[in-house]
Amino acid sequence: MQGSRRTPNARTGTSQHGLFNALKKQPPDPLLSLIAKLRDDPRQEKIDLGVGVYRDASGITPVMHCVKEAERLLLAMQATKSYLGSEGDVGFVNLLKPMVCGEAFARDPRLVGVQTPGGTGALRLAADVIAASVARTKIWLGLPSWPNHEPIFSAAGLTIQTYRSFDVTTQQLLFDDTIAALKSAQPGDVVLLHGCCHNPTGSDFDVAQWATLAKLMATRDLVPLLDFAYQGFGRGFEPDATGIGIVLEHVGEALVAYSCDKNFGLYRERTGALFAFTQDAPAADRVYSNMLSAARANWAMPPDHGAAVVRLILESDELRRDWHQELEDMRSRVASVRQELAAADSLFAPLVLQCGMFSLLPIDSVVIARLQAEHGIYMAGSGRINVAGIRGGDVERLVRAMRGVRGR
Ligand SMILES: Cc1ncc(COP(=O)(O)O)c(C=O)c1O
């Protein structure tokens, strides 16, 4: 009944004890501000190298055909939307296991996993489980890294220990510095590593480096947390899991935070999983129960739609084949844009040695601001570019603009 609605409190004074008075205003997400600015830019020829999503040669982030097909099946088949458990879609998790951790580990009772809201949810759940295991509260993070790593880990109460792992000027991995940092870590410390397609540098470890790291982590009793958000965008679907496989073969314990949001193009559907590789079956059981209790406290259960779509794709030989082909098409487009850029200007030469959607250009904030103001070319303030944001025909304009503002 309308008349029963309470009228707003007419009090106008401010209370010194207001619950929210102590809150400091937080800065907006810089990438979201960039999106808004780009949207309002009327220039037809503007180029978006900022947002971290795949774009095709015409600049669109399409819904993949296999996803559309699975959604059609889901619409016809789904009989209930009743709750699932905190573990999410168990079929989805089990189908991911061999893709993420390899066939042998997928059958190993020491491996457990739950569905999460995207890779972000997987990282947060991992951090909560780490924080709940008392002594294991320090996490080693090589910089530069994905800017959300630090807030996710600190929100869960972990102590973050950073070290330099990449030199932007030389575009080289600082592998010796990485080893030196990890040699000073204490047993039980956690080490964040990007599984493939490093965000933001595009520079991954080679096989020998993964093996060196895996042995070091095993002998020093360090626990890897592998952030695996871009499988299929780097060297190929299976090659992208090489590092994860090497690490799992060596260490006694590991966590893998997986995202399906990029390689299935599901982004806003928030689709991912957290896997834990543990010392024995009783430990697996303990870790699993902690994953479930942390999931309950955070989101009760993950959103269903994306995981149901992925499960339907992976259950069907035909849809799985289509998905692999579509993903391979995306991967090869990104690789060919890298080649085109590298051939066009020496600034971009290292991009062919890197992989995935991102690279971190050695340019300063003045150049970044001028590219935006004078040419409508938008990128993150760090100089990170999304290579997939370059449409067919953009390379020449980008190179010309870059030469203009850098004066060479
Ligand atoms: C390195 C890295 N990890 C994790 C994520 C999280 O992915 P999701 O969108 O699935 O939460 C991202 C997303 O950009 C990422 O770049």
Side-chain angles (χ1 to χ4, degrees):
M1 210 171 70
Q2 246 189 347
S4 70
R5 284 179 107 190
R6 287 220 206 126
T7 45
N9 192 334
R11 208 158 51 97
T12 49
T14 51
S15 160
Q16 281 188 337
H17 306 292
L19 175 64
F20 306 124
N21 289 358
L23 283 181
K24 291 197 188 76
K25 187 158 164 59
Q26 300 295 319
D29 178 334
L31 270 184
L32 293 183
S33 313
L34 195 76
I35 295 172
K37 222 170 161 190
L38 179 109
R39 194 190 46 223
D40 297 340
D41 187 333
R43 286 172 284 189
Q44 286 290 316
E45 70 285 4
K46 61 193 173 185
I47 303 178
D48 178 8
L49 307 180
V51 182
V53 298
Y54 175 78
R55 297 250 161 87
D56 66 17
S58 60
I60 288 167
T61 303
V63 181
M64 293 169 82
H65 293 125
C66 59
V67 167
K68 278 278 183 211
E69 188 53 28
E71 287 182 320
R72 211 177 51 77
L73 292 172
L74 197 61
L75 187 65
M77 280 167 41
Q78 196 172 49
T80 179
K81 288 197 182 283
S82 177
Y83 293 124
L84 293 175
S86 300
E87 66 278 19
D89 186 324
V90 175
F92 159 82
V93 173
N94 287 336
L95 284 158
L96 282 187
K97 276 183 185 171
M99 284 171 24
V100 179
C101 304
E103 292 287 348
F105 287 111
R107 291 189 300 273
D108 194 318
R110 292 173 297 171
L111 182 75
V112 289
V114 299
Q115 186 202 326
T116 57
T120 305
L123 288 165
R124 176 59 200 251
L125 199 66
D128 282 347
V129 171
I130 293 162
S133 63
V134 188
R136 307 197 159 174
T137 55
K138 187 182 266 187
I139 185 158
W140 292 75
L141 181 64
L143 294 181
S145 195
W146 182 46
N148 284 358
H149 280 141
E150 290 201 53
I152 292 169
F153 299 143
S154 62
L158 302 186
T159 304
I160 301 165
Q161 180 79 49
T162 60
Y163 58 94
R164 246 162 56 86
S165 56
F166 183 76
D167 183 329
V168 184
T169 312
T170 62
Q171 294 283 295
Q172 295 295 315
L173 270 177
L174 298 175
F175 192 66
D176 291 346
D177 296 34
T178 302
I179 295 294
L182 300 191
K183 278 189 174 160
S184 66
Q186 297 301 307
D189 284 358
V190 177
V191 182
L192 187 285
L193 296 171
H194 295 234
C196 70
C197 306
H198 189 283
N199 180 6
T201 69
S203 290
D204 291 341
F205 302 121
D206 63 26
V207 171
Q209 289 170 328
W210 273 115
T212 305
L213 277 172
K215 283 178 201 149
L216 178 66
M217 291 189 290
T219 47
R220 293 196 57 80
D221 220 357
L222 307 176
V223 183
L225 166 52
L226 299 150
D227 183 358
F228 200 17
Y230 295 94
Q231 186 178 19
F233 278 94
R235 312 281 176 206
F237 190 75
E238 282 181 10
D240 284 351
T242 304
I244 309 279
I246 294 172
V247 170
L248 292 185
E249 271 166 28
H250 284 82
V251 299
E253 295 178 313
L255 290 151
V256 185
Y258 193 76
S259 174
C260 299
D261 290 324
K262 332 288 169 158
N263 56 8
F264 285 85
L266 284 165
Y267 307 103
R268 66 175 74 162
E269 301 293 356
R270 316 304 304 127
T271 311
L274 175 66
F275 297 96
F277 182 64
T278 63
Q279 283 176 336
D280 51 30
D285 194 44
R286 279 197 308 278
V287 173
Y288 188 65
S289 71
N290 276 274
M291 285 175 164
L292 294 185
S293 64
R296 267 197 304 277
N298 276 318
W299 46 73
M301 71 197 58
D304 178 64
H305 182 77
V309 164
V310 170
R311 176 171 45 74
L312 287 178
I313 293 171
L314 297 178
E315 278 171 352
S316 151
D317 288 346
E318 196 185 332
L319 288 181
R320 191 190 272 255
R321 237 188 344 265
D322 291 351
W323 168 58
H324 273 291
Q325 188 55 56
E326 285 183 76
L327 180 55
E328 176 53 24
D329 291 347
M330 294 198 280
R331 191 197 71 77
S332 60
R333 179 179 123 68
V334 173
S336 70
V337 175
R338 285 184 173 279
Q339 274 168 358
E340 216 185 316
L341 279 170
D345 192 281
S346 61
L347 173 72
F348 298 111
L351 267 65
V352 273
L353 304 173
Q354 301 163 358
C355 69
M357 286 196 276
F358 307 113
S359 281
L360 191 59
L361 300 181
I363 54 176
D364 61 32
S365 55
V366 176
V367 168
I368 294 167
R370 283 190 61 195
L371 284 169
Q372 193 182 111
E374 296 168 26
H375 299 278
I377 296 172
Y378 288 76
M379 67 182 68
S382 60
R384 188 196 80 163
I385 59 164
N386 174 10
V387 176
I390 297 166
R391 293 159 299 194
D394 279 344
V395 167
E396 202 190 311
R397 220 169 60 70
L398 173 61
V399 167
R400 215 175 331 112
M402 192 67 89
R403 284 187 186 148
V405 295
R406 294 174 78 228
R408 54 186 87 173

